[in-house]
Amino acid sequence: MDALFYLFAALTLLCGILVIANPFSNNPVTSAMFLVLTIVSMAGLFVLLHAFFLAAVQVLVYAGAVMVLFLFVIMLLDLKEEQRRSIPLFSAGLGLIAVVAIASVIIGRLWKGPFVNSVDQPTMEGATTVLGTKLFSDYVLPFEIVSLVLLVAMIGAILLSKKELK
Amino acid sequence: MSQVGLHHYLVVSALLFSIGLLGVIIRRNVLVIYLSLELMLNAANLALVAFSRFNNNLNGQLIVFFIITVAASEVAVGLALIVALYRKRQTTHVEDLATMRN
């Protein structure tokens, strides 16, 4: 189990780095493909955390639907001219310094932090059933609101992609 | 190294979030910035699922479920905006979109 964790974590982080800074190509399609790999290996981490339903949803919704939408849009736009521009080194260095500072603050806090940590009793057998029950009892109002959000997003996307924007 | 616990997952999540933040800062293409935003959302999801597992509490997983739904609708609207922007300005490069600066 531990070896699997390190494998999936390394794969997730490596593909994540390749999404934002690929030394071989600046093409957004490559970035999107590596994001798909990141999401799939993160689904592996979800399986290790016994979140089987979320792992399936992650692969189906993210890798399946969202990334296909991304690839459609990237290929719809003609990005030949964009590829030739490289990342400006000065601002990249400054950004790297800032982000390393933020990450060291977060991780430094994590090493000290007292978390309630109950590794030994995985009492979440058949978690999908429990998840469904909770979703339609405690969380039924957020569930309905989310359906409204999806409707609004659909109307918005259709309106925005009309030819004549007023 | 001891047994893999909550801390390990949280460190991976923090590193992934930092990678996404770095992508938002250094990349100049709107689409790649958007991809980095997805990376940051995923890092938050990982932290929530890890907390949910190690505290024996399913609420974290339900929040992740809602985050995935909202992220999907956010992507739909955002990509429609990018396509509309590209139709008007023929670029997805953020430095060409700084009309309010001068």
Side-chain angles (χ1 to χ4, degrees), chain B residues 23-36:
Chain B
V24 171
I25 291 174
I26 68 174
R27 291 305 294 253
R28 291 285 176 266
N29 189 337
V30 179
L31 284 161
V32 182
I33 289 177
Y34 228 67
L35 290 172
S36 310

Side-chain angles (χ1 to χ4, degrees), chain A residues 20 26 35 42 49 58 62 70 77-78 82 85 99 103 110 116 118 121-122 130 134 139 146 153 162, chain B residues 7 9 16 18-19 27 34 38-39 42 53-56 58-59 66 69 71 73 86-87 91 93 96:
Chain A
I20 64 155
N26 241 341
L35 187 60
M42 191 174 279
L49 287 167
Q58 179 94 348
Y62 257 119
F70 255 110
L77 310 179
D78 184 28
E82 305 286 329
R85 302 199 205 186
V99 168
L110 280 179
V116 183
S118 50
Q121 54 269 42
V130 189
K134 260 181 117 68
Y139 282 83
V146 151
K162 271 170 66 169
Chain B
H7 280 96
Y9 285 99
L16 201 64
S18 314
I19 291 170
R27 291 305 294 253
Y34 228 67
E38 294 301 312
L39 217 55
N42 271 301
R53 160 78 172 154
F54 288 102
N55 289 315
N56 278 329
L58 272 181
N59 289 336
F66 290 122
T69 322
S73 50
Y86 186 80
R87 250 194 227 136
T91 182
H93 204 260
D96 298 340

Side-chain angles (χ1 to χ4, degrees), chain A residues 133-147:
Chain A
T133 316
K134 260 181 117 68
L135 191 61
F136 288 105
S137 56
D138 298 349
Y139 282 83
V140 72
L141 181 65
F143 186 76
E144 295 297 334
I145 292 173
V146 151
S147 71

Side-chain angles (χ1 to χ4, degrees), chain A residues 44-66:
Chain A
L45 286 180
F46 282 4
V47 168
L48 291 182
L49 287 167
H50 290 236
F52 303 116
F53 178 67
L54 281 180
V57 166
Q58 179 94 348
V59 171
L60 286 178
V61 174
Y62 257 119
V66 171

Side-chain angles (χ1 to χ4, degrees), chain A residues 2-152:
Chain A
D2 284 11
L4 275 179
F5 166 78
Y6 288 116
L7 176 70
F8 280 126
L11 210 60
T12 307
L13 292 176
L14 185 71
C15 295
I17 290 170
L18 286 176
V19 170
I20 64 155
N22 195 333
F24 304 111
S25 97
N26 241 341
N27 197 337
V29 177
T30 326
S31 294
M33 285 309 187
F34 277 112
L35 187 60
V36 172
L37 269 180
T38 313
I39 284 164
V40 169
S41 45
M42 191 174 279
L45 286 180
F46 282 4
V47 168
L48 291 182
L49 287 167
H50 290 236
F52 303 116
F53 178 67
L54 281 180
V57 166
Q58 179 94 348
V59 171
L60 286 178
V61 174
Y62 257 119
V66 171
M67 294 316 296
V68 168
L69 197 63
F70 255 110
L71 285 173
F72 261 121
V73 169
I74 291 172
M75 290 174 177
L76 193 71
L77 310 179
D78 184 28
L79 298 178
K80 293 249 163 50
E81 191 250 345
E82 305 286 329
Q83 293 173 24
R84 266 181 260 119
R85 302 199 205 186
S86 58
I87 303 168
L89 274 181
F90 179 66
S91 62
L94 284 185
L96 190 66
I97 292 170
V99 168
V100 165
I102 293 173
S104 59
V105 168
I106 298 174
I107 291 172
R109 181 69 192 84
L110 280 179
W111 281 134
K112 287 185 292 186
F115 290 116
V116 183
N117 200 343
S118 50
V119 192
D120 300 330
Q121 54 269 42
T123 55
M124 299 201 296
E125 300 304 325
T128 309
T129 318
V130 189
L131 214 61
T133 316
K134 260 181 117 68
L135 191 61
F136 288 105
S137 56
D138 298 349
Y139 282 83
V140 72
L141 181 65
F143 186 76
E144 295 297 334
I145 292 173
V146 151
S147 71
L148 207 65
V149 168
L150 283 174
L151 179 68
V152 170

